[in-house]
PDB file of all heavy atoms in Angstrom:
ATOM      1  N   GLN A 327     128.647 115.297 171.399  1.00 86.00           N
ATOM      2  CA  GLN A 327     128.559 113.942 170.816  1.00 86.00           C
ATOM      3  C   GLN A 327     127.871 113.927 169.514  1.00 86.00           C
ATOM      4  O   GLN A 327     128.292 113.069 168.673  1.00 86.00           O
ATOM      5  CB  GLN A 327     127.846 113.046 171.817  1.00 86.00           C
ATOM      6  CG  GLN A 327     128.546 112.931 173.161  1.00 86.00           C
ATOM      7  CD  GLN A 327     129.854 112.221 172.992  1.00 86.00           C
ATOM      8  OE1 GLN A 327     129.900 111.108 172.362  1.00 86.00           O
ATOM      9  NE2 GLN A 327     130.788 112.681 173.539  1.00 86.00           N
ATOM     10  N   GLY A 328     126.767 114.717 169.302  1.00 82.00           N
ATOM     11  CA  GLY A 328     126.087 114.694 168.021  1.00 82.00           C
ATOM     12  C   GLY A 328     126.923 115.367 166.941  1.00 82.00           C
ATOM     13  O   GLY A 328     126.873 114.874 165.792  1.00 82.00           O
ATOM     14  N   LEU A 329     127.666 116.411 167.251  1.00 83.00           N
ATOM     15  CA  LEU A 329     128.561 117.057 166.350  1.00 83.00           C
ATOM     16  C   LEU A 329     129.683 116.133 165.714  1.00 83.00           C
ATOM     17  O   LEU A 329     129.977 116.183 164.600  1.00 83.00           O
ATOM     18  CB  LEU A 329     129.092 118.390 166.808  1.00 83.00           C
ATOM     19  CG  LEU A 329     128.126 119.459 166.824  1.00 83.00           C
ATOM     20  CD1 LEU A 329     128.783 120.664 167.655  1.00 83.00           C
ATOM     21  CD2 LEU A 329     127.485 119.884 165.611  1.00 83.00           C
ATOM     22  N   SER A 330     130.156 115.402 166.662  1.00 85.00           N
ATOM     23  CA  SER A 330     131.218 114.404 166.240  1.00 85.00           C
ATOM     24  C   SER A 330     130.584 113.055 165.674  1.00 85.00           C
ATOM     25  O   SER A 330     131.462 112.129 165.412  1.00 85.00           O
ATOM     26  CB  SER A 330     132.087 114.154 167.484  1.00 85.00           C
ATOM     27  OG  SER A 330     131.351 113.417 168.482  1.00 85.00           O
ATOM     28  N   GLU A 331     129.321 113.162 165.631  1.00 83.00           N
ATOM     29  CA  GLU A 331     128.524 111.878 165.013  1.00 83.00           C
ATOM     30  C   GLU A 331     128.925 110.659 165.729  1.00 83.00           C
ATOM     31  O   GLU A 331     128.714 109.480 165.214  1.00 83.00           O
ATOM     32  CB  GLU A 331     128.855 111.739 163.578  1.00 83.00           C
ATOM     33  CG  GLU A 331     128.468 112.990 162.694  1.00 83.00           C
ATOM     34  CD  GLU A 331     128.789 112.759 161.319  1.00 83.00           C
ATOM     35  OE1 GLU A 331     129.143 111.803 160.887  1.00 83.00           O
ATOM     36  OE2 GLU A 331     128.454 113.714 160.488  1.00 83.00           O
ATOM     37  N   GLU A 332     129.266 110.726 167.085  1.00 83.00           N
ATOM     38  CA  GLU A 332     129.394 109.426 167.886  1.00 83.00           C
ATOM     39  C   GLU A 332     128.030 109.020 168.426  1.00 83.00           C
ATOM     40  O   GLU A 332     127.952 107.946 168.804  1.00 83.00           O
ATOM     41  CB  GLU A 332     130.363 109.848 169.098  1.00 83.00           C
ATOM     42  CG  GLU A 332     131.777 110.157 168.710  1.00 83.00           C
ATOM     43  CD  GLU A 332     132.609 110.465 169.823  1.00 83.00           C
ATOM     44  OE1 GLU A 332     132.395 110.045 170.901  1.00 83.00           O
ATOM     45  OE2 GLU A 332     133.619 111.117 169.631  1.00 83.00           O
ATOM     46  N   LEU A 333     127.043 109.931 168.428  1.00 81.00           N
ATOM     47  CA  LEU A 333     125.796 109.623 169.103  1.00 81.00           C
ATOM     48  C   LEU A 333     124.708 110.092 168.056  1.00 81.00           C
ATOM     49  O   LEU A 333     124.454 111.301 168.118  1.00 81.00           O
ATOM     50  CB  LEU A 333     125.755 110.400 170.450  1.00 81.00           C
ATOM     51  CG  LEU A 333     124.422 110.051 171.283  1.00 81.00           C
ATOM     52  CD1 LEU A 333     124.463 108.460 171.638  1.00 81.00           C
ATOM     53  CD2 LEU A 333     124.523 110.900 172.518  1.00 81.00           C
ATOM     54  N   PRO A 334     124.048 109.217 167.506  1.00 81.00           N
ATOM     55  CA  PRO A 334     122.971 109.680 166.586  1.00 81.00           C
ATOM     56  C   PRO A 334     121.771 110.101 167.379  1.00 81.00           C
ATOM     57  O   PRO A 334     121.167 109.297 168.173  1.00 81.00           O
ATOM     58  CB  PRO A 334     122.666 108.399 165.748  1.00 81.00           C
ATOM     59  CG  PRO A 334     123.031 107.230 166.694  1.00 81.00           C
ATOM     60  CD  PRO A 334     124.191 107.722 167.480  1.00 81.00           C
ATOM     61  N   ARG A 335     121.290 111.264 167.256  1.00 77.00           N
ATOM     62  CA  ARG A 335     120.040 111.769 167.825  1.00 77.00           C
ATOM     63  C   ARG A 335     119.388 112.936 167.036  1.00 77.00           C
ATOM     64  O   ARG A 335     119.948 113.460 166.273  1.00 77.00           O
ATOM     65  CB  ARG A 335     120.369 112.277 169.302  1.00 77.00           C
ATOM     66  CG  ARG A 335     121.241 113.489 169.292  1.00 77.00           C
ATOM     67  CD  ARG A 335     121.541 114.035 170.768  1.00 77.00           C
ATOM     68  NE  ARG A 335     120.571 114.817 171.343  1.00 77.00           N
ATOM     69  CZ  ARG A 335     120.803 116.168 171.315  1.00 77.00           C
ATOM     70  NH1 ARG A 335     121.724 116.765 170.721  1.00 77.00           N
ATOM     71  NH2 ARG A 335     119.776 116.763 172.005  1.00 77.00           N
ATOM     72  N   GLU A 336     118.106 112.924 167.257  1.00 76.00           N
ATOM     73  CA  GLU A 336     117.301 114.126 166.699  1.00 76.00           C
ATOM     74  C   GLU A 336     117.399 115.276 167.439  1.00 76.00           C
ATOM     75  O   GLU A 336     117.587 115.213 168.684  1.00 76.00           O
ATOM     76  CB  GLU A 336     115.788 113.623 166.557  1.00 76.00           C
ATOM     77  CG  GLU A 336     115.635 112.463 165.628  1.00 76.00           C
ATOM     78  CD  GLU A 336     114.194 112.012 165.748  1.00 76.00           C
ATOM     79  OE1 GLU A 336     113.318 112.882 165.953  1.00 76.00           O
ATOM     80  OE2 GLU A 336     113.936 110.770 165.473  1.00 76.00           O
ATOM     81  N   ALA A 337     116.980 116.390 166.823  1.00 72.00           N
ATOM     82  CA  ALA A 337     117.129 117.691 167.510  1.00 72.00           C
ATOM     83  C   ALA A 337     116.094 117.780 168.728  1.00 72.00           C
ATOM     84  O   ALA A 337     114.980 117.167 168.605  1.00 72.00           O
ATOM     85  CB  ALA A 337     116.811 118.783 166.516  1.00 72.00           C
ATOM     86  N   GLY A 338     116.501 118.131 169.911  1.00 73.00           N
ATOM     87  CA  GLY A 338     115.615 118.064 171.083  1.00 73.00           C
ATOM     88  C   GLY A 338     115.540 116.799 171.696  1.00 73.00           C
ATOM     89  O   GLY A 338     114.781 116.705 172.728  1.00 73.00           O
ATOM     90  N   ASP A 339     116.239 115.752 171.291  1.00 76.00           N
ATOM     91  CA  ASP A 339     116.105 114.487 171.969  1.00 76.00           C
ATOM     92  C   ASP A 339     117.134 114.361 172.969  1.00 76.00           C
ATOM     93  O   ASP A 339     118.392 114.472 172.663  1.00 76.00           O
ATOM     94  CB  ASP A 339     116.315 113.369 170.810  1.00 76.00           C
ATOM     95  CG  ASP A 339     116.182 111.951 171.486  1.00 76.00           C
ATOM     96  OD1 ASP A 339     115.848 111.873 172.557  1.00 76.00           O
ATOM     97  OD2 ASP A 339     116.474 111.131 170.626  1.00 76.00           O
ATOM     98  N   PHE A 340     116.660 114.276 174.330  1.00 77.00           N
ATOM     99  CA  PHE A 340     117.601 114.258 175.396  1.00 77.00           C
ATOM    100  C   PHE A 340     117.493 112.776 175.964  1.00 77.00           C
ATOM    101  O   PHE A 340     118.082 112.630 177.077  1.00 77.00           O
ATOM    102  CB  PHE A 340     117.202 115.241 176.518  1.00 77.00           C
ATOM    103  CG  PHE A 340     117.586 116.708 175.978  1.00 77.00           C
ATOM    104  CD1 PHE A 340     116.601 117.450 175.429  1.00 77.00           C
ATOM    105  CD2 PHE A 340     118.703 117.127 176.283  1.00 77.00           C
ATOM    106  CE1 PHE A 340     117.003 118.673 175.007  1.00 77.00           C
ATOM    107  CE2 PHE A 340     119.225 118.450 175.777  1.00 77.00           C
ATOM    108  CZ  PHE A 340     118.102 119.164 175.172  1.00 77.00           C
ATOM    109  N   PHE A 341     116.993 111.861 175.285  1.00 78.00           N
ATOM    110  CA  PHE A 341     117.027 110.405 175.663  1.00 78.00           C
ATOM    111  C   PHE A 341     116.302 110.231 177.020  1.00 78.00           C
ATOM    112  O   PHE A 341     116.656 109.419 177.869  1.00 78.00           O
ATOM    113  CB  PHE A 341     118.468 109.852 175.768  1.00 78.00           C
ATOM    114  CG  PHE A 341     119.160 109.943 174.402  1.00 78.00           C
ATOM    115  CD1 PHE A 341     120.184 110.908 174.279  1.00 78.00           C
ATOM    116  CD2 PHE A 341     118.758 109.144 173.422  1.00 78.00           C
ATOM    117  CE1 PHE A 341     120.870 110.959 173.043  1.00 78.00           C
ATOM    118  CE2 PHE A 341     119.420 109.070 172.254  1.00 78.00           C
ATOM    119  CZ  PHE A 341     120.398 110.036 171.972  1.00 78.00           C
TER     120      PHE A 341
END
Side-chain angles (χ1 to χ4, degrees):
Q327 295 295 312
L329 289 175
S330 65
E331 298 180 3
E332 293 178 27
L333 185 65
R335 67 183 270 266
E336 296 177 26
D339 184 8
F340 290 92
F341 302 106

